[in-house]
Amino acid sequence: MAASLAVAREWQDEVPARWTDDPEPWEDETDAGDATEEDHPEPSPPSAPQRPPKRTAAERDALALAYLRRPQIVKFDTSRHRWREAVCKVLGVECGGDGGAAALAALAPAPLGAGSRGGARGTGTPWIRRWKSRAPDVAAEVIAVYVGFVRDVVQARLSRVCAEFGSAAMAGGLLFQREPSFRCHTPSPRPTGRPHTDADYGHQSAELNVWVPVTRASGANSLYAESAPGAGDYAAFDVDYGDAVFFWGNQCRHYTVANDSGAARVSIDCRVLPRALHDPDEKRKDGGAKTAFHVGGYYAALLPSGAIDDAVNRPKGYGCLFTPYA
């Protein structure tokens, strides 16, 4: 098994350049004037410049989505998106001089009997309980970090990539998981789940996963994933705080292994998709009659401007972060 998954790395303000359809007609650089056909003979086909092929809107969307579905690591500014400080506050951990890195990596595991998943993710895990029972004022701080990150890093990246491919997939804005998932993979002889795809649980096929480690993550304490659906080339993400991993967890199998690294891994993750691609009638892989992932339910929404869409973001359910909105 490889030590780390080979992924493309991007800075959040950079996307590799690529050609797009030329919207303007090519101009003849010769001066027509009184020139004759002999003065400017027709160029032979082999030497003529080649136009890039014109693509339909559906083809441009498909190209953009294919690019976005590749596992990629995007750098973000931790001084602006202060995930580690927010997590430390929720868990009651002192940040210290290293911003809380050592304290989070040293989080103690729950007893092995605390849940069938080994005590690192089940309901008996004390760190999970602390996250779910955070006070309203702390929840408001978390949502400020979360929404800012989704808007400035996630939505900005998806919009930029789609624009470079000439895709209008993001024209309707972004849907994102209303409540971000908190993970704490403490040292344990058992993994925190089984290999799976998110489609196994009925998620929308257009979803992308965004996985944000708050501590160092590599090898046994990280997340393993394949690089493409069915590839089977499972390897761990080798990342640190300030990295956001984008991958197609809906179709790419992923899992954890027993954490024998001696260090806990704390991470935040969420699922997002262009709003235009949400399909309430999509057939579920898990056999469910209809989607359980509704706009205004599981998903909150950002308008193309980056503003919260108050028309669908109605707080509901235990632990909802959206009170008040950021």
Side-chain angles (χ1 to χ4, degrees):
M1 188 173 291
S4 61
L5 186 63
V7 295
R9 291 178 179 266
E10 301 177 357
W11 288 92
Q12 80 176 68
D13 59 348
E14 294 179 2
V15 173
R18 60 187 65 82
W19 63 260
T20 56
D21 289 344
D22 184 3
E24 299 295 333
W26 284 10
E27 306 226 346
D28 186 351
E29 296 180 350
T30 62
D31 180 8
D34 296 326
T36 65
E37 188 171 317
E38 289 72 26
D39 294 322
H40 300 290
E42 182 74 16
S44 60
S47 62
Q50 299 298 307
R51 283 177 177 272
K54 292 292 183 182
R55 300 187 183 277
T56 66
E59 289 172 332
R60 293 194 295 270
D61 289 348
L63 285 170
L65 292 174
Y67 180 83
L68 288 168
R69 286 167 175 169
R70 294 165 47 200
Q72 295 169 83
I73 298 172
V74 175
K75 298 287 187 181
F76 67 91
D77 185 353
T78 58
S79 68
R80 182 175 181 183
H81 305 288
R82 303 174 71 87
W83 273 118
R84 184 178 280 170
E85 290 85 346
V87 169
C88 285
K89 190 164 188 177
V90 172
L91 300 184
V93 172
E94 291 292 333
C95 283
D98 63 356
L104 291 173
L107 291 179
L112 283 179
S116 62
R117 288 177 170 172
R121 184 181 170 192
T123 56
T125 304
W127 310 116
I128 300 293
R129 288 202 303 268
R130 289 195 192 184
W131 176 263
K132 290 183 177 293
S133 61
R134 57 193 176 274
D137 60 327
V138 177
E141 293 184 35
V142 171
I143 191 53
V145 175
Y146 180 46
V147 174
F149 176 82
V150 171
R151 180 185 60 239
D152 299 340
V153 178
V154 180
Q155 183 181 32
R157 176 175 182 265
L158 268 61
S159 296
R160 185 171 57 252
V161 169
C162 287
E164 292 213 6
F165 279 101
S167 167
M170 284 293 291
L174 181 78
L175 298 181
F176 64 102
Q177 184 177 326
R178 179 182 294 278
E179 172 79 16
S181 298
F182 171 80
R183 319 286 187 183
C184 184
H185 191 16
T186 55
S188 170
R190 292 188 237 169
T192 61
R194 61 179 180 83
H196 68 280
T197 68
D198 289 357
D200 293 341
Y201 300 102
H203 281 266
Q204 291 272 304
S205 62
E207 283 181 346
L208 297 171
N209 296 56
V210 185
W211 190 76
V212 183
V214 184
T215 58
R216 177 84 179 116
S218 64
N221 79 350
S222 190
L223 180 68
Y224 285 74
E226 58 184 346
S227 63
D233 53 348
Y234 300 105
F237 294 122
D238 188 358
V239 286
D240 210 333
Y241 184 45
D243 295 330
V245 181
F246 287 69
F247 71 105
W248 196 20
N250 187 271
Q251 297 294 315
C252 294
R253 293 173 72 81
H254 50 284
Y255 61 92
T256 64
V257 299
N259 182 4
D260 60 3
S261 70
R265 181 259 297 165
V266 178
S267 58
I268 300 290
D269 62 87
C270 66
R271 300 171 183 90
V272 304
L273 72 157
R275 188 168 182 174
L277 301 184
H278 181 266
D279 182 4
D281 300 316
E282 183 177 67
K283 186 176 180 180
R284 292 174 53 161
K285 182 179 177 181
D286 65 350
K290 62 179 182 178
T291 185
F293 301 95
H294 298 289
V295 179
Y298 180 81
Y299 299 115
L302 292 178
L303 298 171
S305 65
I308 288 283
D309 185 350
D310 292 322
V312 301
N313 292 335
R314 300 181 296 275
K316 60 175 66 176
Y318 172 76
C320 181
L321 287 175
F322 285 80
T323 308
Y325 293 107

